[in-house]
Amino acid sequence: MNYDSDSLSAADQLLIDLLKLDSTNGINPEKPVIDHIRALLNAEGILTELYWKDPERPNLLAVLPGENKNVEKSGANTALLLYGHADVVSTQGQK
C-alpha cells in the first residue's frame, strides 16, 4: 500500500515511523524505539529520563506537569500513568 505523506495525520506518521524500527525481543534492542520517542517528547518540551539495567533496553520516563483544580476539595493530587513496552515478539515458529 502506498501512502501519500500529505494525507497522513501526525498519528499515522508516528505509527509508520515506529513500525519501521525493529525491536524484536531477543534479536534487536528497544533503544532505537525509546530514542525516537524521547526525541519527539523532548521536541515538545517534555522532560524525559532514562532508567536501565541494560543500556540497550532502557525505560523512558516522561512527566507532564498537571494541575488538579479540586485538590482543596479532595485533599489529594491525582496522576495518570501510561505504561507500555517497546519490544515486539516474533511470530516465527508459532502455529
Side-chain angles (χ1 to χ4, degrees):
M1 180 178 269
N2 288 329
Y3 294 99
D4 175 7
S5 60
D6 292 335
S7 66
L8 291 176
S9 71
D12 292 333
Q13 190 59 56
L14 173 60
L15 178 60
I16 290 167
D17 292 345
L18 289 172
L19 289 172
K20 288 179 182 177
L21 299 169
D22 185 2
S23 61
T24 304
N25 191 322
I27 298 171
N28 293 303
E30 295 94 327
K31 189 170 185 321
V33 175
I34 296 300
D35 289 343
H36 183 74
I37 295 170
R38 186 180 199 195
L40 293 171
L41 293 169
N42 289 340
E44 295 298 322
I46 300 169
L47 298 177
T48 60
E49 295 179 36
L50 295 179
Y51 298 91
W52 62 83
K53 182 175 179 181
D54 176 346
E56 291 300 311
R57 303 188 73 198
N59 294 294
L60 174 65
L61 173 67
V63 177
L64 292 167
E67 181 180 323
N68 182 352
K69 297 182 191 259
N70 295 316
V71 171
E72 296 80 24
K73 293 179 185 176
S74 68
N77 245 332
T78 57
L80 172 65
L81 171 69
L82 300 176
Y83 179 81
H85 59 93
D87 63 333
V88 296
V89 178
S90 173
T91 58
Q92 187 173 10
Q94 296 183 11
K95 294 181 180 184

